[in-house]
Amino acid sequence: MSSLKSDISNYKELLSQYLESRDEAVLYQAEQFSKQTIQQNISPDEIVNEHYQALQELIPNMDETVKDSFQFLIETMISYGLAYQEHQVLREKQIELRSEIGVAANMQETLLKTQIPDYTTIDIGVKSVPAKEMNGDYHHFIRDTQGNLGVAVADVIGKGIPAAFCMSMIKFALESFSDNQIYPEWVLDSLNRVVFRNLEEGMFVTMFYGLYDIYTHQFYYSSAGHEPCFVYRSDSDEFEKIDAKGLLLGVENDVIYEQRQTTITKGDYIVLLTDGVTECRMGDRFLKQQEVLDVIKLYADLPSSDIAENVFKHFERLQDFDLRDDITIIVIKRNE
Amino acid sequence: MNLHIDDHQEGDVTVLKLSGEIDAYTAPQLKEKLLALVEENPTVHVDLARVSYMDSTGLGVFISALKTSKEKEHALKLINLQENVYRLFNITGLNDVIDIENTVRGELS
């Protein structure tokens, strides 16, 4: 406790300076002193005791009643000291927990990492931003043996760490499907059974799954209760809603997922979103889907990854923007 | 914003009237109340006329309630949904598995 000792003599010094001069600058030093003692975990009763010792030296003939009152004050301060110690322990625990959540979030990122396949005919961009540390959105790309692109975007209802585990399950299920079976209706049907059997009650998944035929530029898609997605049509300069009927994953065992298809022509692009995008609040209102599409159009001439990035930044810059839910935006553009 | 939950009996039907917003903060209290009601009463109607906003956490509550009511062979019905709340049931395909009264109301001011 040598540092405490040096502080004690310092305290006495400060106190005597103040009693002589009543100088405000010394009061400021007292404030600095208290910050130092907090850093060194010195409890309030120790400081009162210090004050008492210092006074005894500075005022040798102190009244006995005053002395006794200090004993009384020191006793009173002891429970403050204990509360303070408890506070310190909780703070340390909080730091520990936060770092564990950080580790979990990192693990999630590593586990769920998906490589964006590289094509010359199409250009793919993704932006996914969690509202909290753990992301409840998930997206995944698969390239089949013929080179076609499978793309999934999902939102797990029920957030945080359980959602992250659920997504790992979905990822490994998606990767286990053999290469010639990745038509959307089949993928969602199979995933639904996996999720129904394995997910704890109260957790559900919405997913939009698409298969982009790289040779014919047909886009096949199915939806498991997911927000509608969009295709920008270059000939009409308008967005077309693409949606298919299908229940959320994990609610019932036997579900038929409708599969639809559309032709992507040169200059068209596909926009896949999670509903977090439209659940953002701007002050006291919600963002409308049309506003998101309008912003996407603003950046449409950029490469896909820049479109996704810029759309998110655009909203982030706006005042009163409140990211309530995780956001994922995927853009797939046909180049040639 | 809070969620106000109130239940009363109308003949054979137990009516649960909700008013406010259903989100991650209010869903737990709704879940507790609704699951208990569905467990004990043969016919439960949930009146959502005064629910202006619901997020996906709310869907989770109704799916759990649906499960419980099926197990018990009880009836659960949602009535008086505002348009934006109905939209959520429609998108997720839940309107096919949950009994939802058809009269969809516009947004209350």
Side-chain angles (χ1 to χ4, degrees), chain A residues 52-333:
Chain A
Y52 174 53
Q53 302 297 339
L55 270 192
Q56 275 186 319
E57 288 179 40
L58 294 170
I59 312 170
N61 303 318
M62 202 174 14
D63 191 280
E64 282 302 317
T65 322
V66 176
K67 282 186 184 172
D68 291 346
S69 81
F70 269 97
Q71 290 309 324
F72 193 83
L73 181 58
I74 288 169
E75 280 304 315
T76 316
M77 294 313 283
I78 283 175
S79 26
Y80 278 96
L82 291 176
Y84 175 70
Q85 272 174 12
E86 202 176 324
H87 172 77
Q88 283 301 107
V89 171
L90 284 177
R91 261 180 64 167
E92 277 161 27
K93 273 201 183 141
Q94 196 195 15
I95 292 169
E96 217 173 276
L97 271 178
R98 210 178 275 163
S99 100
E100 270 188 40
I101 293 173
V103 171
N106 273 337
M107 247 180 86
Q108 185 194 21
E109 253 191 76
T110 317
L111 266 177
L112 299 181
K113 209 170 215 162
T114 180
Q115 201 97 41
I116 302 179
D118 203 14
Y119 290 99
T120 49
T121 48
I122 56 172
D123 168 29
I124 307 163
V126 188
K127 179 77 184 172
S128 187
V129 187
K132 292 187 186 148
E133 276 186 85
M134 307 290 282
N135 200 338
D137 281 359
Y138 175 62
H139 62 275
H140 187 76
F141 296 105
I142 305 176
R143 191 178 197 152
D144 71 11
T145 40
Q146 286 91 47
N148 298 314
L149 172 75
V151 54
V153 56
D155 184 357
V156 179
I157 300 174
K159 303 283 177 225
I161 294 173
F165 281 123
C166 168
M167 280 182 280
S168 319
M169 177 176 85
I170 289 174
K171 178 184 177 172
F172 295 116
L174 276 174
E175 290 197 333
S176 71
F177 297 152
S178 65
D179 290 334
N180 51 2
Q181 290 171 313
I182 59 172
Y183 276 94
E185 55 185 352
W186 186 91
V187 169
L188 290 188
D189 180 40
S190 310
L191 270 184
N192 180 53
R193 286 168 213 279
V194 172
V195 173
F196 184 78
R197 276 200 304 268
N198 295 295
L199 217 53
E200 70 173 275
E201 206 196 287
M203 265 175 78
F204 308 95
V205 184
T206 77
M207 180 181 281
F208 193 95
Y209 193 91
L211 173 68
Y212 193 112
D213 187 315
I214 214 74
Y215 305 98
T216 62
H217 293 282
Q218 286 294 304
F219 185 63
Y220 303 87
Y221 57 91
S222 292
S223 171
H226 199 81
E227 283 279 299
C229 293
F230 298 90
V231 177
Y232 170 81
R233 299 297 185 189
S234 56
D235 53 1
S236 63
D237 188 34
E238 268 172 19
F239 283 98
E240 182 185 311
K241 202 180 255 189
I242 51 170
D243 196 13
K245 219 170 150 47
L247 183 64
L248 291 169
L249 300 177
V251 178
E252 295 201 330
N253 195 29
D254 275 310
V255 182
I256 291 168
Y257 289 97
E258 181 191 11
Q259 177 175 301
R260 295 188 171 185
Q261 71 184 86
T262 184
T263 309
I264 307 298
T265 54
K266 196 185 161 196
D268 289 358
Y269 54 88
I270 303 163
V271 179
L272 310 180
L273 303 164
T274 55
D275 67 354
V277 179
T278 45
E279 264 186 30
C280 288
R281 283 201 188 210
M282 313 282 297
D284 56 357
R285 70 179 189 90
F286 290 94
L287 204 57
K288 294 214 169 61
Q289 218 159 32
Q290 190 55 46
E291 293 172 66
V292 180
L293 296 177
D294 288 344
V295 173
I296 290 175
K297 241 181 183 176
L298 284 180
Y299 300 104
D301 292 337
L302 301 173
S304 296
S305 57
D306 293 343
I307 298 177
E309 185 74 39
N310 277 308
V311 170
F312 176 73
K313 283 211 174 117
H314 178 98
F315 288 111
E316 200 184 32
R317 272 198 300 268
L318 296 179
Q319 227 183 349
D320 295 333
F321 179 79
D322 174 16
L323 184 58
R324 274 204 156 194
D325 197 357
D326 315 315
I327 280 186
T328 300
I329 304 170
I330 298 179
V331 178
I332 302 168
K333 245 181 171 181

Side-chain angles (χ1 to χ4, degrees), chain B residues 52-71:
Chain B
S52 52
Y53 169 77
M54 183 173 93
D55 71 4
S56 45
T57 340
L59 287 180
V61 173
F62 288 112
I63 296 170
S64 302
L66 177 74
K67 251 181 183 163
T68 308
S69 81
K70 271 190 175 170
E71 280 163 15

